[in-house]
């Protein structure tokens, strides 16, 4: 009698596990992208200063993945890429502090975002925003899932989607070790560089009728959006590309990046 009872329980548990495994296969999502335990010991292939959100970021992949990509191979299935996001330490003036190499200095750890690629993983994602076989997840630094970010996981796919040509990996140049900082910074009147998610100079004064040219130095795309009675949007500019706008009317024009609203600039047009 007792034995029979135990057996029944055992079968029920096994059945539940099998059903769970089947479901996980049917819809792969953030829950399947594990926290990358020990990632700090992987290869840090890029460091990033983000002025727009005052963050310092470290990008990690396993050494064998970095090696494969540097040998010109496609990113293999099973690859995991992780970003450790930190608040940047700020000086008394509110500007991020830099170390001797020019990187922002690590403050509080904020997030670990992860992307992982496995054969067939794209099948669960609607074709309109599918990123090949990549899946995404966001974690807090202690390894707990960031439920809020994971509930809006579509945003990860949509922002990486324009980078389909480089297997959806925005930092591919860093991973592949190709052309770091290949784009040259423009100089001279009427030129604004977009670098480290900052418009430089942030404030520019021109005479009416003059043109401002923005050149993107970052790996990430940017877009100048001038706010006013009518909103003016330039095309999205990729690394090394430029875009220009002519200012005919006197006034002060505030603008932001259409993709990263924390990036702000100002054009003053005088007579
Ligand atoms: C607003 C656009 C945007 C959204 C939304 C976004 N990313 Fe990214 N992601 C980027 C950019 C830009 C980079 C390049 C590195 C950087 O600037 O931090 C990047 C890089 C990454 C990388 C490093 C590999 C690579 O592609 O360069 C990972 C991992 C990553 N993102 C995960 C995520 C996850 C997980 C989410 C959703 C929770 C997400 N991303 C949402 C823009 C975005
Ligand atoms: Cu931008």
């Amino acid at each position: 009698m007792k034995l029979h009872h135990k057996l029944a329980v055992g079968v029920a548990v096994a059945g539940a596990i099998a059903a769970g495994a089947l479901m996980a296969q049917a819809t792969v999502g953030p829950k399947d992208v594990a926290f990358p335990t020990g990632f700090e010991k992987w290869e840090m292939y890029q460091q990033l200063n983000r002025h727009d959100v005052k963050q310092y970021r470290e990008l990690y992949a396993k050494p064998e993945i970095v090696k494969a990509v540097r040998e010109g191979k496609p990113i293999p299935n099973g690859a995991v890429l992780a970003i450790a996001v930190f608040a940047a330490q700020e000086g008394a003036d509110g500007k991020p502090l830099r170390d001797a190499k020019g990187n922002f200095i690590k403050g509080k750890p904020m997030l670990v975002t992860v992307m992982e690629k496995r054969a067939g993983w794209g099948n669960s994602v609607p074709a309109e925003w599918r990123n090949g076989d990549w899946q995404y997840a966001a974690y807090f630094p202690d390894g707990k899932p960031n439920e809020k970010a994971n509930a809006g996981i579509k945003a990860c796919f949509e922002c990486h989607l324009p980078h389909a040509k480089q297997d959806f990996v925005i930092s591919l140049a860093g991973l592949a070790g190709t052309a770091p900082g290949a784009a040259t910074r423009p100089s001279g009147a009427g030129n604004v560089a977009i670098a480290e998610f900052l418009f430089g100079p942030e404030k520019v004064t021109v005479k009416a009728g003059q043109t401002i040219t923005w050149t993107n130095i970052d790996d990430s795309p940017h877009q100048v959006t001038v706010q006013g009675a009518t909103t003016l949007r330039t095309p999205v500019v990729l690394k090394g590309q430029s875009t220009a706008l002519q200012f005919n009317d006197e006034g002060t024009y505030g603008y932001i990046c259409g993709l990263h609203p924390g990036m702000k600039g100002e054009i003053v047009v005088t007579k």
Side-chain angles (χ1 to χ4, degrees):
M1 188 62 197
K2 236 184 189 166
L3 192 73
H4 183 95
H5 181 73
K6 253 192 186 155
L7 197 73
V9 169
V11 168
V13 169
I17 289 169
L22 266 176
M23 262 172 61
Q25 258 196 347
T27 52
V28 182
K31 63 186 186 322
D32 300 291
V33 177
F35 181 75
T37 305
F39 72 86
E40 298 94 334
K41 296 202 181 82
W42 297 357
E43 189 163 337
M44 182 170 75
Y45 67 86
Q46 195 168 336
Q47 292 165 282
L48 270 176
N49 301 323
R50 292 265 315 236
H51 280 276
D52 61 329
V53 283
K54 290 192 180 160
Q55 290 174 353
Y56 165 70
R57 299 182 171 196
E58 293 179 343
L59 280 63
Y60 289 89
K62 286 191 173 146
E64 59 266 33
I65 302 297
V66 178
K67 186 169 176 278
V69 176
R70 296 203 169 163
E71 284 168 355
K73 295 181 186 136
I75 302 173
N77 279 326
V80 178
L81 304 177
I83 306 187
V85 179
F86 301 86
Q89 284 187 31
E90 290 172 30
D93 59 358
K95 293 216 170 104
L97 297 170
R98 291 181 190 261
D99 66 13
K101 285 187 183 150
N103 289 310
F104 289 178
I105 298 170
K106 254 184 225 183
K108 192 177 176 278
M110 298 175 71
L111 270 181
V112 176
T113 59
V114 191
M115 57 197 278
E116 181 169 352
K117 179 188 189 178
R118 283 182 194 256
W121 267 18
N123 297 340
S124 303
V125 181
E128 311 88 76
W129 41 279
R130 183 176 300 155
N131 282 195
D133 275 332
W134 290 102
Q135 287 282 351
Y136 295 80
Y139 286 94
F140 292 109
D142 63 1
K144 288 209 183 78
N146 183 327
E147 303 292 0
K148 201 178 153 201
N150 291 340
I153 207 74
K154 186 182 178 189
C156 317
F157 288 89
E158 286 182 331
C159 217
H160 283 250
L161 188 61
H163 304 274
K165 275 199 202 125
Q166 46 191 74
D167 198 8
F168 309 96
V169 175
I170 303 178
S171 60
L172 186 67
L175 189 61
T178 51
T184 41
R185 217 187 156 89
S187 58
N191 273 299
V192 177
I194 315 176
E196 295 186 332
F197 292 73
L198 181 76
F199 295 111
E202 282 181 290
K203 185 173 171 180
V204 177
T205 303
V206 290
K207 291 228 152 60
Q210 283 187 336
T211 298
I212 303 280
T213 304
W214 288 266
T215 303
N216 185 8
I217 311 299
D218 285 337
D219 293 333
S220 297
H222 296 290
Q223 179 190 44
V224 175
T225 305
V226 182
Q227 300 153 312
T230 53
T231 302
L232 267 178
R233 269 179 214 282
T234 68
V236 169
V237 279
L238 304 177
K239 184 173 192 163
Q241 292 182 334
S242 296
T243 187
L245 287 174
Q246 193 181 12
F247 290 86
N248 293 321
D249 299 321
E250 274 172 71
T252 299
Y253 301 86
Y255 70 92
I256 59 168
C257 171
L259 308 179
H260 313 102
M263 297 173 60
K264 293 188 173 75
E266 192 176 89
I267 309 290
V268 180
V269 183
T270 59
K271 226 181 193 159

